[in-house]
Amino acid sequence: MMKKTTIITQLLIVVAIIVVANLISRNMYFRIDFTEDQRYTLSKATRDILKDLDEVITVKAYFTENLPAQLAFVQNDLRDQLVEYEDLAGGNLIFEFINPSESDELKQEAIQSGVAPLSINVVENDQQQQIQAFLGVVLKSGDNTEAIPVVQPNGGIEYDLTMAIKKLAIQDKPKIGMISGYGSPGLSAFPQLVEQLSVLYDVEEFSIADTFSIPTFYRGLIWVAPKDTIAPIEFSKLDQYLNQGGKLFLSYSSVAGDLQQGALQPAPNIGIKNWVAGKGLIFGNDFVIDQNCLPVTVQQRQGFLTINSQVSVPLLPRVSNFEDHPITEGLEQVLLPFVNAFTINNSDTTLRINPLAFTSAKSGTLPAPGYLDIQRKWTEADFPMQEQILASSIEGIGAGNGAMVVIGNGDFIINGEGQQAQRVNPDNLNFASNAIDWLADDTGLISLRTKAITSRTLDKVEDGTKNLLKYGNVFAPILLILIYAGIRKQIRNRRKQKWAQGNFA
Amino acid sequence: MQKTWIITKRELSSFFDSLIAYVMIVLFLGLSGIFTWLVTTNIFVGNQASLGTFFGVAFWSLFFFIPAITMRMIAEENRAGTIELLITKAVSDGQIVMGKFLACLILVIIALACTLPYYITISQLGNIDDGSVIGGYLGLILLSASYISIGLFASSLTQNQIVSFLLALLISVFFHFLFDAISASFSGVAGEIFNYLSIRAHYDSMSRGVIDSRDIIFFGSIISLGLLLAQTMLSKRNWQS
């Protein structure tokens, strides 16, 4: 027998212990990140950048206090992350949280520093009100400032923070040259790519024809979609640059398609194919077709009606089959319309050629010249080929260990200019940026760029298979449970019968 | 431990010898299956190799099913007087509560294990993140364990199974969504406390694939508090005023 007061006291002590344990756990905690890409763990690139900081970076997080809990967790996540950053930076990173709602001066300071005010709904005194809120971060080092206007809920806080720190920490950005001339589009045709690359590099146009040799201060060169015949002397300059350890990202297609006109033409021979073939990578002369492709909307007139329908066009491959490589890590889907394939014929043992991206296992080719019939009914027989190489890296060029990444499509990262400009598929940009980082940067930021990618698309399955999977998953487990129930009932009944007969063994 | 395990096995057998286990598992699988694979929110519509839809459905269905499992665990024994028989077998109140708790938890784990074909199917169709799946299942197990302990406590308060069910549901409602909803109306420390008490916040954190000691301690706290209260209520007969 125990006294009631003793029991209540014991209960209160246990409750107190639980409360204290929860309070302590808020400040002393650990996390195990089971995600495949360690999405919620600071990457090696971040750790390296923080360890290498030479100057103190101050981080001011302008966060409105007393936000609804649905947004307050962003502040908690950021605070947790900044604590880790502070620990790793060894005194070179200091952070503070400022509540801009305390005064108009602080609000002005936040806005002038680049933090964007947001309008959010809150419930106060049983009334819904709209308030101005701040969820931004400003980083300062010396006279330089970088701002993250809004920290996105569930977004890549690490990517934003590390990029901002990297921008501040870089004293002299390495240069990347965008080769101009010979029909290649200028820098202004790549606003998205240039924006992404300008975090780490100074990207500038470079005319290969105007120089005697390519300066080695270029950490890398980008050459996209040249159209005019290239003089052999330019290839000699490129060879010299690569032999000295230079790096080149080449985006060029040996075929030219036009979706509007339906024309499928071979690209004029401007010399690139032969030059790249000398390095063991052979451009195909045909268009690649892939069963895994983009649909396009087609308008059809039926009487007075205009009907929009979706038509799959295998000449617009959706590439999701990648080699396991730093360039392709985290990529989900690169769109490569009118692409050519490559074959490898490498007789030089010092060169290392690694394919990076492939078609699906159901692919084929269409000869050029030809004509695209958008209404064509494609059959399995049109896709007799297995995986074809669509992009590849070449390493070990010359004594300086130069490297190239070659992709069989000239337009996949071009936004265009003026009214023709359009946004580029994010993974197309990531592929190009990763390739350039892999060629030109050694800090490992490649992994960080694709860290926030969450899209994991399902493979395409036929309707029959889809229905089988759907109903199989719903009913098969239930059926198994019912079968087990039946068997168990049988066993019980038999046992009961034995007992009824006096057999208790 | 051996005595606890004997009670667990006895309770599990009684689940599977009656209709309770089958009704619970079949309903759980039916609801999960329909919402994951057939209705408009199904996996093929979302086109993502993720079990997020299933975890969302299970989060709600377990909330209703668990009180239905736990409602009779102690209440019925109290009503029928069989608890007295159990107590004369020289087992402690703690062992009784723990045995019943483990039996309910194993039943829920069996129900969850029946959904593994979902994972196998999706992993064949796309690049599913195994970490999120592990986190999601672990989150569901901890959530279930929390509701089982609450259910056992509710069952120890009364001899009526319906009252026990409703009590368990009432307490769980706070953790399941009321604290979350209340936290939206409060700001500052109060908002943070209510948000911390919300099971959803901790479950969401785990189901993204991150095992955080704070979430484990939170779930552990609810489980131990529920079991302790159930044990205390069970030992009420021994109290002296």
Side-chain angles (χ1 to χ4, degrees), chain A residues 1-2 4 7 22 25-26 29-32 34-36 39-40 66 80 456-457 459 473 488 492, chain B residues 17 22 48-49 121 125 127 129 131 187-188 192 196 208-214 221 238-240:
Chain A
M1 291 284 174
M2 288 183 82
K4 198 173 175 179
I7 289 164
N22 278 272
S25 77
R26 280 180 64 76
Y29 60 89
F30 65 89
R31 282 190 299 188
I32 306 168
F34 280 117
T35 54
E36 194 178 285
R39 211 174 308 146
Y40 305 101
N66 300 335
D80 289 349
R456 291 170 179 274
T457 48
D459 293 343
N473 272 292
R488 194 176 166 95
R492 280 193 75 203
Chain B
D17 288 339
Y22 305 111
Q48 292 289 305
T121 306
L125 291 175
N127 178 24
D129 189 341
S187 50
E192 263 187 57
Y196 183 76
R208 64 183 187 169
V210 178
I211 310 301
D212 192 313
S213 60
R214 289 170 290 189
S221 302
N238 296 326
W239 291 4
Q240 281 178 336

Side-chain angles (χ1 to χ4, degrees), chain A residues 112-153:
Chain A
Q112 280 169 5
S113 305
V115 175
L118 301 172
S119 287
I120 59 163
N121 293 322
V122 293
V123 179
E124 266 181 22
N125 301 326
D126 293 335
Q127 284 191 326
Q128 197 160 44
Q129 293 180 342
Q130 204 168 52
I131 62 161
Q132 195 181 45
F134 293 83
L135 291 93
V137 180
V138 177
L139 300 96
K140 278 188 183 173
S141 177
D143 295 334
N144 299 324
T145 304
E146 282 295 331
I148 303 169
V150 178
V151 178
Q152 298 291 338

Side-chain angles (χ1 to χ4, degrees), chain A residues 61-65 98-104 106-107 110 134:
Chain A
Y62 290 95
F63 264 73
T64 303
E65 280 186 7
I98 296 168
N99 178 12
S101 303
E102 279 179 357
S103 71
D104 288 340
L106 286 173
K107 274 185 194 172
F134 293 83

